Structure formats: C-alpha cells, structure tokens
Amino acid sequence: DESEPESRAGDVRTGRRQPGTLKGLFTKDLKEIMFGLGDEAPAPDTVGLMEDILIEYLHETIVAAGQGGGKTIQIDDVRRVLQGPGDERKLARLEELLLLQIEIKKARAINGLEAGGRHLGE
C-alpha cells in the first residue's frame, strides 16, 4: 500500500503523528499491567489488541479535547471530555495526579531541585 509510509510518518504539515505510529509504544507497560492483574504470560495478540484499544481511546480523547477552541489542549479541555458518563473514575484519577504533581513540585522547590520547566496542569 503506497499510503502506508506516509501514514507512519505522520502529518508533515502539522507535525502530528498518526495513531498508527504509536504501535509498540505501550507494549511493555501493558504486559506489566496485565501481569500485575493476574495474567502470568500475556499472549502477544492479546497485548496487541489491548494496545490498539488504548491508542484508539487516547486518540479519540485527544481529538475531543482539541475541539475546545484553543491552539493547544489544556487540562480544562481534558476535564471537559472526562466529565461524560462512565468517565468519573478517570476524571478522579486525573485530579489525583494533578494534586500529586503540585506536591512533587513543592517538594522539589523546597529541596532546590525545580528546574523551572513547564509541567502538566500549569
């Protein structure tokens, strides 16, 4: 297929990667998660399917968050997307991670370790 190399490269004009270019990025983590949930030897095809589902979900969530009207996706855009039915736990986890990030940032500032970079939620 002639379109395959182009889709793997992503959209050259916007610098955005296509969802297919993420294949393999989550494999190791998914195997470890599946092992932690009781699957002693996750089958490669099962891990692949889980990764496909994850990539599709992330893509749909990011696209929906990007429809907030701004040039970049902000935390409030992600919150808006996760306020839908069935996403209560995901929204609660997002809030928990944002609070944890603030605590880590404060701890680094106390220890003089803050590099001054831009972080999620700022």
Side-chain angles (χ1 to χ4, degrees), residues 12-61:
V12 176
R13 292 168 290 154
T14 63
R16 294 183 180 145
R17 292 182 2 159
Q18 297 295 321
T21 64
L22 299 176
K23 189 72 176 161
L25 183 64
F26 302 107
T27 301
K28 180 181 175 195
D29 295 318
L30 284 171
K31 282 182 184 180
E32 291 174 2
I33 290 169
M34 293 170 74
F35 179 82
L37 292 172
D39 190 344
E40 292 183 20
D45 57 336
T46 304
V47 175
L49 177 62
M50 293 294 292
E51 186 173 45
D52 290 344
I53 292 168
L54 174 61
I55 290 170
E56 181 179 337
Y57 173 77
L58 289 173
H59 182 258
E60 289 173 3
T61 301

